[in-house]
Amino acid sequence: MKNLLSSLLDLFYPHTCDGCGTDLTRTEKVLCIRCLRRLPLTGYQHLPGNPVEKIFWGRVNIRHAMSAYYYRKSSLLQQLIYQFKYDRREDIATHLGQQMGNILLQSGWLYEINSIIPVPIHPTKLQQRGYNQAMLLANGVAAITGKPVMEEILFRNNYSPSQTNKGRLLRWQNVSNVFSIRQTDQLKDQHVLLIDDVLTTGATLEACSSLLLGAGAAVSIYTLAFAHH
């Protein structure tokens, strides 16, 4: 009976790969195995002093930093990010967050992390989008690693326009006063993992990290993608 019901659901609500359009198996979600392997892994979980960590050297005193994948224009990953940011595909963000969690399990420093904090978005954008994509990624990571997500620690107190196509200095000027922090007593002596979707110049993550460090936390950074040049 259960198999019959499952078959009927597949008939009326077919599950196809968001990468190539082929039918997904019962064990696959969002992407087939072939398309999942198409996503360009960085391998930075195995590389201390990797290019993502180097972005923050001399800027903010973080413990570790990495990205799961490389971000490339016109790539499958760019299409997936667009879908979960602008097409209300929450399932894609959650699934990619779980992939991030699986990759993080391979690192040598996951045991140091006490909790996960997503980079916040402004309430206006949250209302428009319906969710914070960094929160969905964080929830995906948490589901795999078992680390708790701390909500409402960081928040945006100003609405900032898209940072796309802006240089590092202009990005920093835009975000340096955008974020605020609350409930700082929870952060003392905690090692938090700051989660975001795409790392470009690092200005947003630097601003958030500075606040968390000022509240007594140690900070590591993890993003879904790294837009390297």
mmCIF file of all heavy atoms in Angstrom, residues 169-215:
data_model
loop_
_atom_site.group_PDB
_atom_site.id
_atom_site.type_symbol
_atom_site.label_atom_id
_atom_site.label_comp_id
_atom_site.label_asym_id
_atom_site.label_seq_id
_atom_site.Cartn_x
_atom_site.Cartn_y
_atom_site.Cartn_z
ATOM 1 N N LEU A 169 36.069 48.071 -1.128
ATOM 2 C CA LEU A 169 35.939 49.267 -0.304
ATOM 3 C C LEU A 169 34.495 49.735 -0.238
ATOM 4 O O LEU A 169 33.975 50.042 0.843
ATOM 5 C CB LEU A 169 36.833 50.382 -0.843
ATOM 6 C CG LEU A 169 36.777 51.712 -0.070
ATOM 7 C CD1 LEU A 169 37.182 51.498 1.383
ATOM 8 C CD2 LEU A 169 37.672 52.756 -0.730
ATOM 9 N N LEU A 170 33.830 49.782 -1.388
ATOM 10 C CA LEU A 170 32.441 50.227 -1.418
ATOM 11 C C LEU A 170 31.544 49.262 -0.661
ATOM 12 O O LEU A 170 30.632 49.673 0.057
ATOM 13 C CB LEU A 170 31.959 50.361 -2.859
ATOM 14 C CG LEU A 170 30.573 51.001 -3.064
ATOM 15 C CD1 LEU A 170 30.510 52.368 -2.391
ATOM 16 C CD2 LEU A 170 30.264 51.134 -4.555
ATOM 17 N N ARG A 171 31.800 47.958 -0.774
ATOM 18 C CA ARG A 171 31.025 46.974 -0.023
ATOM 19 C C ARG A 171 31.200 47.192 1.477
ATOM 20 O O ARG A 171 30.247 47.131 2.243
ATOM 21 C CB ARG A 171 31.466 45.550 -0.391
ATOM 22 C CG ARG A 171 30.907 45.037 -1.707
ATOM 23 C CD ARG A 171 31.506 43.691 -2.037
ATOM 24 N NE ARG A 171 30.960 43.151 -3.274
ATOM 25 C CZ ARG A 171 30.076 42.172 -3.338
ATOM 26 N NH1 ARG A 171 29.613 41.636 -2.241
ATOM 27 N NH2 ARG A 171 29.640 41.725 -4.497
ATOM 28 N N TRP A 172 32.455 47.413 1.902
ATOM 29 C CA TRP A 172 32.718 47.616 3.322
ATOM 30 C C TRP A 172 32.016 48.875 3.829
ATOM 31 O O TRP A 172 31.427 48.881 4.909
ATOM 32 C CB TRP A 172 34.214 47.703 3.584
ATOM 33 C CG TRP A 172 34.524 48.153 4.988
ATOM 34 C CD1 TRP A 172 35.061 49.328 5.377
ATOM 35 C CD2 TRP A 172 34.268 47.432 6.196
ATOM 36 N NE1 TRP A 172 35.155 49.390 6.745
ATOM 37 C CE2 TRP A 172 34.678 48.243 7.273
ATOM 38 C CE3 TRP A 172 33.727 46.173 6.457
ATOM 39 C CZ2 TRP A 172 34.568 47.838 8.596
ATOM 40 C CZ3 TRP A 172 33.609 45.763 7.788
ATOM 41 C CH2 TRP A 172 34.033 46.583 8.832
ATOM 42 N N GLN A 173 32.056 49.942 3.053
ATOM 43 C CA GLN A 173 31.384 51.179 3.448
ATOM 44 C C GLN A 173 29.875 50.959 3.571
ATOM 45 O O GLN A 173 29.223 51.530 4.433
ATOM 46 C CB GLN A 173 31.677 52.283 2.433
ATOM 47 C CG GLN A 173 33.120 52.763 2.471
ATOM 48 C CD GLN A 173 33.463 53.697 1.321
ATOM 49 O OE1 GLN A 173 32.768 53.738 0.300
ATOM 50 N NE2 GLN A 173 34.533 54.462 1.476
ATOM 51 N N ASN A 174 29.331 50.103 2.717
ATOM 52 C CA ASN A 174 27.896 49.832 2.734
ATOM 53 C C ASN A 174 27.469 49.004 3.936
ATOM 54 O O ASN A 174 26.345 49.148 4.426
ATOM 55 C CB ASN A 174 27.466 49.096 1.456
ATOM 56 C CG ASN A 174 27.334 50.045 0.272
ATOM 57 O OD1 ASN A 174 27.330 51.258 0.435
ATOM 58 N ND2 ASN A 174 27.232 49.487 -0.912
ATOM 59 N N VAL A 175 28.332 48.102 4.413
ATOM 60 C CA VAL A 175 27.902 47.167 5.459
ATOM 61 C C VAL A 175 28.485 47.457 6.833
ATOM 62 O O VAL A 175 28.045 46.867 7.815
ATOM 63 C CB VAL A 175 28.254 45.707 5.077
ATOM 64 C CG1 VAL A 175 27.623 45.324 3.769
ATOM 65 C CG2 VAL A 175 29.759 45.479 5.053
ATOM 66 N N SER A 176 29.471 48.357 6.936
ATOM 67 C CA SER A 176 30.172 48.541 8.206
ATOM 68 C C SER A 176 29.252 48.974 9.338
ATOM 69 O O SER A 176 29.506 48.685 10.502
ATOM 70 C CB SER A 176 31.319 49.555 8.040
ATOM 71 O OG SER A 176 30.820 50.805 7.585
ATOM 72 N N ASN A 177 28.175 49.682 9.032
ATOM 73 C CA ASN A 177 27.240 50.119 10.075
ATOM 74 C C ASN A 177 25.861 49.492 9.919
ATOM 75 O O ASN A 177 24.898 49.944 10.534
ATOM 76 C CB ASN A 177 27.111 51.646 10.051
ATOM 77 C CG ASN A 177 28.424 52.336 10.382
ATOM 78 O OD1 ASN A 177 29.074 51.987 11.360
ATOM 79 N ND2 ASN A 177 28.811 53.300 9.565
ATOM 80 N N VAL A 178 25.774 48.462 9.100
ATOM 81 C CA VAL A 178 24.479 47.859 8.803
ATOM 82 C C VAL A 178 24.048 46.869 9.873
ATOM 83 O O VAL A 178 22.866 46.735 10.163
ATOM 84 C CB VAL A 178 24.527 47.159 7.423
ATOM 85 C CG1 VAL A 178 23.380 46.174 7.237
ATOM 86 C CG2 VAL A 178 24.494 48.205 6.315
ATOM 87 N N PHE A 179 25.010 46.172 10.489
ATOM 88 C CA PHE A 179 24.684 45.081 11.407
ATOM 89 C C PHE A 179 24.754 45.518 12.862
ATOM 90 O O PHE A 179 25.537 46.379 13.233
ATOM 91 C CB PHE A 179 25.626 43.899 11.184
ATOM 92 C CG PHE A 179 25.529 43.313 9.806
ATOM 93 C CD1 PHE A 179 26.439 43.663 8.821
ATOM 94 C CD2 PHE A 179 24.521 42.424 9.483
ATOM 95 C CE1 PHE A 179 26.354 43.132 7.550
ATOM 96 C CE2 PHE A 179 24.420 41.888 8.205
ATOM 97 C CZ PHE A 179 25.343 42.246 7.242
ATOM 98 N N SER A 180 23.932 44.885 13.681
ATOM 99 C CA SER A 180 23.979 45.056 15.123
ATOM 100 C C SER A 180 23.883 43.679 15.771
ATOM 101 O O SER A 180 23.559 42.690 15.111
ATOM 102 C CB SER A 180 22.836 45.952 15.609
ATOM 103 O OG SER A 180 22.966 47.265 15.107
ATOM 104 N N ILE A 181 24.158 43.644 17.081
ATOM 105 C CA ILE A 181 24.179 42.372 17.798
ATOM 106 C C ILE A 181 23.356 42.495 19.074
ATOM 107 O O ILE A 181 23.274 43.562 19.676
ATOM 108 C CB ILE A 181 25.643 41.973 18.111
ATOM 109 C CG1 ILE A 181 25.735 40.530 18.574
ATOM 110 C CG2 ILE A 181 26.269 42.927 19.106
ATOM 111 C CD1 ILE A 181 27.169 40.009 18.577
ATOM 112 N N ARG A 182 22.699 41.406 19.448
ATOM 113 C CA ARG A 182 21.939 41.373 20.699
ATOM 114 C C ARG A 182 22.214 40.062 21.420
ATOM 115 O O ARG A 182 22.805 39.148 20.878
ATOM 116 C CB ARG A 182 20.447 41.528 20.441
ATOM 117 C CG ARG A 182 19.817 40.446 19.590
ATOM 118 C CD ARG A 182 18.286 40.430 19.733
ATOM 119 N NE ARG A 182 17.659 41.597 19.196
ATOM 120 C CZ ARG A 182 17.079 41.677 17.992
ATOM 121 N NH1 ARG A 182 17.079 40.603 17.203
ATOM 122 N NH2 ARG A 182 16.507 42.775 17.579
ATOM 123 N N GLN A 183 21.808 39.997 22.669
ATOM 124 C CA GLN A 183 21.982 38.801 23.490
ATOM 125 C C GLN A 183 23.448 38.367 23.545
ATOM 126 O O GLN A 183 23.781 37.197 23.392
ATOM 127 C CB GLN A 183 21.120 37.651 22.965
ATOM 128 C CG GLN A 183 19.629 37.957 22.980
ATOM 129 C CD GLN A 183 18.796 36.858 22.346
ATOM 130 O OE1 GLN A 183 19.299 36.086 21.552
ATOM 131 N NE2 GLN A 183 17.529 36.787 22.710
ATOM 132 N N THR A 184 24.319 39.332 23.778
ATOM 133 C CA THR A 184 25.751 39.049 23.712
ATOM 134 C C THR A 184 26.225 38.147 24.842
ATOM 135 O O THR A 184 27.287 37.538 24.730
ATOM 136 C CB THR A 184 26.551 40.369 23.747
ATOM 137 O OG1 THR A 184 26.184 41.108 24.915
ATOM 138 C CG2 THR A 184 26.274 41.194 22.510
ATOM 139 N N ASP A 185 25.466 38.038 25.939
ATOM 140 C CA ASP A 185 25.879 37.185 27.049
ATOM 141 C C ASP A 185 25.950 35.718 26.637
ATOM 142 O O ASP A 185 26.650 34.912 27.253
ATOM 143 C CB ASP A 185 24.929 37.345 28.234
ATOM 144 C CG ASP A 185 23.479 37.059 27.870
ATOM 145 O OD1 ASP A 185 23.033 37.524 26.806
ATOM 146 O OD2 ASP A 185 22.806 36.361 28.652
ATOM 147 N N GLN A 186 25.223 35.356 25.581
ATOM 148 C CA GLN A 186 25.225 33.973 25.095
ATOM 149 C C GLN A 186 26.499 33.625 24.333
ATOM 150 O O GLN A 186 26.769 32.448 24.089
ATOM 151 C CB GLN A 186 24.037 33.735 24.162
ATOM 152 C CG GLN A 186 22.683 33.904 24.807
ATOM 153 C CD GLN A 186 21.569 33.592 23.818
ATOM 154 O OE1 GLN A 186 21.721 32.735 22.944
ATOM 155 N NE2 GLN A 186 20.454 34.283 23.944
ATOM 156 N N LEU A 187 27.265 34.628 23.955
ATOM 157 C CA LEU A 187 28.389 34.406 23.056
ATOM 158 C C LEU A 187 29.741 34.266 23.745
ATOM 159 O O LEU A 187 30.692 33.778 23.136
ATOM 160 C CB LEU A 187 28.468 35.553 22.036
ATOM 161 C CG LEU A 187 27.282 35.661 21.079
ATOM 162 C CD1 LEU A 187 27.384 36.944 20.269
ATOM 163 C CD2 LEU A 187 27.236 34.459 20.148
ATOM 164 N N LYS A 188 29.828 34.658 24.998
ATOM 165 C CA LYS A 188 31.116 34.645 25.677
ATOM 166 C C LYS A 188 31.671 33.225 25.735
ATOM 167 O O LYS A 188 30.990 32.290 26.149
ATOM 168 C CB LYS A 188 30.973 35.215 27.093
ATOM 169 C CG LYS A 188 32.294 35.409 27.805
ATOM 170 C CD LYS A 188 32.116 36.183 29.092
ATOM 171 C CE LYS A 188 33.428 36.300 29.864
ATOM 172 N NZ LYS A 188 34.482 36.945 29.053
ATOM 173 N N ASP A 189 32.905 33.102 25.273
ATOM 174 C CA ASP A 189 33.627 31.822 25.264
ATOM 175 C C ASP A 189 33.003 30.776 24.332
ATOM 176 O O ASP A 189 33.300 29.585 24.450
ATOM 177 C CB ASP A 189 33.746 31.240 26.681
ATOM 178 C CG ASP A 189 34.487 32.177 27.626
ATOM 179 O OD1 ASP A 189 35.449 32.823 27.172
ATOM 180 O OD2 ASP A 189 34.089 32.274 28.798
ATOM 181 N N GLN A 190 32.140 31.202 23.427
ATOM 182 C CA GLN A 190 31.562 30.311 22.438
ATOM 183 C C GLN A 190 32.357 30.406 21.132
ATOM 184 O O GLN A 190 32.897 31.456 20.797
ATOM 185 C CB GLN A 190 30.101 30.693 22.154
ATOM 186 C CG GLN A 190 29.161 30.464 23.321
ATOM 187 C CD GLN A 190 28.885 28.986 23.542
ATOM 188 O OE1 GLN A 190 28.362 28.304 22.676
ATOM 189 N NE2 GLN A 190 29.248 28.498 24.714
ATOM 190 N N HIS A 191 32.432 29.307 20.414
ATOM 191 C CA HIS A 191 33.036 29.313 19.081
ATOM 192 C C HIS A 191 31.897 29.137 18.092
ATOM 193 O O HIS A 191 31.278 28.076 18.026
ATOM 194 C CB HIS A 191 34.052 28.176 18.947
ATOM 195 C CG HIS A 191 34.841 28.215 17.670
ATOM 196 N ND1 HIS A 191 35.998 27.502 17.478
ATOM 197 C CD2 HIS A 191 34.646 28.890 16.499
ATOM 198 C CE1 HIS A 191 36.476 27.718 16.265
ATOM 199 N NE2 HIS A 191 35.660 28.555 15.642
ATOM 200 N N VAL A 192 31.600 30.197 17.333
ATOM 201 C CA VAL A 192 30.444 30.182 16.437
ATOM 202 C C VAL A 192 30.895 30.059 14.986
ATOM 203 O O VAL A 192 31.972 30.518 14.603
ATOM 204 C CB VAL A 192 29.573 31.447 16.618
ATOM 205 C CG1 VAL A 192 29.047 31.531 18.046
ATOM 206 C CG2 VAL A 192 30.326 32.710 16.254
ATOM 207 N N LEU A 193 30.041 29.415 14.221
ATOM 208 C CA LEU A 193 30.274 29.263 12.783
ATOM 209 C C LEU A 193 29.323 30.179 12.044
ATOM 210 O O LEU A 193 28.105 30.004 12.101
ATOM 211 C CB LEU A 193 30.047 27.808 12.356
ATOM 212 C CG LEU A 193 30.312 27.480 10.885
ATOM 213 C CD1 LEU A 193 31.785 27.693 10.537
ATOM 214 C CD2 LEU A 193 29.898 26.043 10.568
ATOM 215 N N LEU A 194 29.868 31.169 11.369
ATOM 216 C CA LEU A 194 29.087 32.160 10.638
ATOM 217 C C LEU A 194 28.834 31.652 9.224
ATOM 218 O O LEU A 194 29.772 31.310 8.503
ATOM 219 C CB LEU A 194 29.842 33.483 10.614
ATOM 220 C CG LEU A 194 29.142 34.725 10.085
ATOM 221 C CD1 LEU A 194 27.902 35.069 10.909
ATOM 222 C CD2 LEU A 194 30.113 35.912 10.102
ATOM 223 N N ILE A 195 27.560 31.592 8.826
ATOM 224 C CA ILE A 195 27.164 30.982 7.552
ATOM 225 C C ILE A 195 26.587 32.032 6.599
ATOM 226 O O ILE A 195 25.762 32.854 6.999
ATOM 227 C CB ILE A 195 26.094 29.895 7.775
ATOM 228 C CG1 ILE A 195 26.648 28.752 8.620
ATOM 229 C CG2 ILE A 195 25.528 29.394 6.449
ATOM 230 C CD1 ILE A 195 27.433 27.733 7.880
ATOM 231 N N ASP A 196 27.003 31.982 5.332
ATOM 232 C CA ASP A 196 26.413 32.833 4.295
ATOM 233 C C ASP A 196 26.412 32.059 2.981
ATOM 234 O O ASP A 196 26.983 30.968 2.882
ATOM 235 C CB ASP A 196 27.184 34.141 4.161
ATOM 236 C CG ASP A 196 26.330 35.270 3.577
ATOM 237 O OD1 ASP A 196 25.120 35.048 3.341
ATOM 238 O OD2 ASP A 196 26.869 36.364 3.347
ATOM 239 N N ASP A 197 25.768 32.641 1.953
ATOM 240 C CA ASP A 197 25.661 31.921 0.690
ATOM 241 C C ASP A 197 26.904 32.097 -0.193
ATOM 242 O O ASP A 197 27.585 31.129 -0.496
ATOM 243 C CB ASP A 197 24.374 32.285 -0.068
ATOM 244 C CG ASP A 197 24.149 33.782 -0.212
ATOM 245 O OD1 ASP A 197 25.041 34.577 0.146
ATOM 246 O OD2 ASP A 197 23.069 34.177 -0.688
ATOM 247 N N VAL A 198 27.195 33.331 -0.622
ATOM 248 C CA VAL A 198 28.322 33.543 -1.545
ATOM 249 C C VAL A 198 29.328 34.515 -0.939
ATOM 250 O O VAL A 198 28.953 35.587 -0.456
ATOM 251 C CB VAL A 198 27.829 34.094 -2.905
ATOM 252 C CG1 VAL A 198 29.007 34.276 -3.856
ATOM 253 C CG2 VAL A 198 26.795 33.153 -3.529
ATOM 254 N N LEU A 199 30.586 34.133 -0.967
ATOM 255 C CA LEU A 199 31.680 34.998 -0.522
ATOM 256 C C LEU A 199 32.301 35.671 -1.728
ATOM 257 O O LEU A 199 32.751 35.000 -2.658
ATOM 258 C CB LEU A 199 32.727 34.161 0.225
ATOM 259 C CG LEU A 199 34.077 34.826 0.496
ATOM 260 C CD1 LEU A 199 33.915 36.030 1.411
ATOM 261 C CD2 LEU A 199 35.053 33.823 1.082
ATOM 262 N N THR A 200 32.306 36.999 -1.712
ATOM 263 C CA THR A 200 32.986 37.750 -2.780
ATOM 264 C C THR A 200 34.175 38.485 -2.171
ATOM 265 O O THR A 200 35.281 37.971 -2.130
ATOM 266 C CB THR A 200 32.026 38.749 -3.463
ATOM 267 O OG1 THR A 200 30.717 38.625 -2.934
ATOM 268 C CG2 THR A 200 31.894 38.477 -4.930
ATOM 269 N N THR A 201 33.944 39.680 -1.661
ATOM 270 C CA THR A 201 35.051 40.430 -1.045
ATOM 271 C C THR A 201 35.208 40.110 0.433
ATOM 272 O O THR A 201 36.254 40.391 1.021
ATOM 273 C CB THR A 201 34.806 41.946 -1.171
ATOM 274 O OG1 THR A 201 33.649 42.298 -0.419
ATOM 275 C CG2 THR A 201 34.621 42.340 -2.633
ATOM 276 N N GLY A 202 34.170 39.581 1.059
ATOM 277 C CA GLY A 202 34.224 39.275 2.485
ATOM 278 C C GLY A 202 33.792 40.412 3.384
ATOM 279 O O GLY A 202 33.864 40.297 4.615
ATOM 280 N N ALA A 203 33.319 41.520 2.814
ATOM 281 C CA ALA A 203 32.962 42.692 3.629
ATOM 282 C C ALA A 203 31.829 42.391 4.609
ATOM 283 O O ALA A 203 31.890 42.775 5.783
ATOM 284 C CB ALA A 203 32.573 43.847 2.711
ATOM 285 N N THR A 204 30.788 41.720 4.148
ATOM 286 C CA THR A 204 29.658 41.390 5.021
ATOM 287 C C THR A 204 30.100 40.480 6.163
ATOM 288 O O THR A 204 29.774 40.706 7.332
ATOM 289 C CB THR A 204 28.539 40.713 4.211
ATOM 290 O OG1 THR A 204 28.004 41.653 3.283
ATOM 291 C CG2 THR A 204 27.425 40.211 5.115
ATOM 292 N N LEU A 205 30.852 39.441 5.837
ATOM 293 C CA LEU A 205 31.308 38.489 6.847
ATOM 294 C C LEU A 205 32.300 39.136 7.812
ATOM 295 O O LEU A 205 32.317 38.822 9.004
ATOM 296 C CB LEU A 205 31.927 37.276 6.159
ATOM 297 C CG LEU A 205 30.911 36.389 5.435
ATOM 298 C CD1 LEU A 205 31.592 35.527 4.380
ATOM 299 C CD2 LEU A 205 30.151 35.522 6.422
ATOM 300 N N GLU A 206 33.106 40.051 7.315
ATOM 301 C CA GLU A 206 34.040 40.767 8.181
ATOM 302 C C GLU A 206 33.281 41.616 9.198
ATOM 303 O O GLU A 206 33.616 41.626 10.390
ATOM 304 C CB GLU A 206 34.957 41.654 7.332
ATOM 305 C CG GLU A 206 35.974 42.446 8.140
ATOM 306 C CD GLU A 206 36.840 43.351 7.265
ATOM 307 O OE1 GLU A 206 36.741 43.274 6.027
ATOM 308 O OE2 GLU A 206 37.610 44.143 7.842
ATOM 309 N N ALA A 207 32.254 42.326 8.737
ATOM 310 C CA ALA A 207 31.471 43.175 9.634
ATOM 311 C C ALA A 207 30.776 42.338 10.708
ATOM 312 O O ALA A 207 30.775 42.694 11.891
ATOM 313 C CB ALA A 207 30.447 43.974 8.829
ATOM 314 N N CYS A 208 30.179 41.226 10.306
ATOM 315 C CA CYS A 208 29.499 40.352 11.269
ATOM 316 C C CYS A 208 30.491 39.731 12.245
ATOM 317 O O CYS A 208 30.227 39.650 13.455
ATOM 318 C CB CYS A 208 28.745 39.254 10.526
ATOM 319 S SG CYS A 208 27.305 39.812 9.598
ATOM 320 N N SER A 209 31.628 39.284 11.731
ATOM 321 C CA SER A 209 32.639 38.663 12.591
ATOM 322 C C SER A 209 33.147 39.640 13.643
ATOM 323 O O SER A 209 33.367 39.263 14.807
ATOM 324 C CB SER A 209 33.808 38.160 11.743
ATOM 325 O OG SER A 209 33.399 37.133 10.870
ATOM 326 N N SER A 210 33.342 40.897 13.263
ATOM 327 C CA SER A 210 33.837 41.903 14.203
ATOM 328 C C SER A 210 32.891 42.064 15.379
ATOM 329 O O SER A 210 33.327 42.186 16.540
ATOM 330 C CB SER A 210 34.028 43.241 13.486
ATOM 331 O OG SER A 210 35.038 43.152 12.499
ATOM 332 N N LEU A 211 31.586 42.059 15.109
ATOM 333 C CA LEU A 211 30.600 42.170 16.186
ATOM 334 C C LEU A 211 30.634 40.953 17.103
ATOM 335 O O LEU A 211 30.565 41.074 18.325
ATOM 336 C CB LEU A 211 29.203 42.342 15.593
ATOM 337 C CG LEU A 211 28.897 43.676 14.920
ATOM 338 C CD1 LEU A 211 27.554 43.615 14.201
ATOM 339 C CD2 LEU A 211 28.891 44.811 15.938
ATOM 340 N N LEU A 212 30.729 39.777 16.516
ATOM 341 C CA LEU A 212 30.751 38.543 17.304
ATOM 342 C C LEU A 212 32.016 38.454 18.155
ATOM 343 O O LEU A 212 31.966 38.058 19.328
ATOM 344 C CB LEU A 212 30.646 37.334 16.381
ATOM 345 C CG LEU A 212 29.316 37.195 15.630
ATOM 346 C CD1 LEU A 212 29.433 36.143 14.528
ATOM 347 C CD2 LEU A 212 28.193 36.828 16.588
ATOM 348 N N LEU A 213 33.143 38.845 17.573
ATOM 349 C CA LEU A 213 34.399 38.856 18.324
ATOM 350 C C LEU A 213 34.332 39.847 19.479
ATOM 351 O O LEU A 213 34.815 39.574 20.581
ATOM 352 C CB LEU A 213 35.555 39.204 17.386
ATOM 353 C CG LEU A 213 35.956 38.125 16.375
ATOM 354 C CD1 LEU A 213 36.854 38.709 15.290
ATOM 355 C CD2 LEU A 213 36.656 36.959 17.067
ATOM 356 N N GLY A 214 33.712 40.997 19.229
ATOM 357 C CA GLY A 214 33.563 42.010 20.272
ATOM 358 C C GLY A 214 32.696 41.542 21.429
ATOM 359 O O GLY A 214 32.795 42.067 22.547
ATOM 360 N N ALA A 215 31.835 40.550 21.154
ATOM 361 C CA ALA A 215 30.970 40.000 22.201
ATOM 362 C C ALA A 215 31.623 38.832 22.930
ATOM 363 O O ALA A 215 30.994 38.188 23.770
ATOM 364 C CB ALA A 215 29.649 39.553 21.593
#
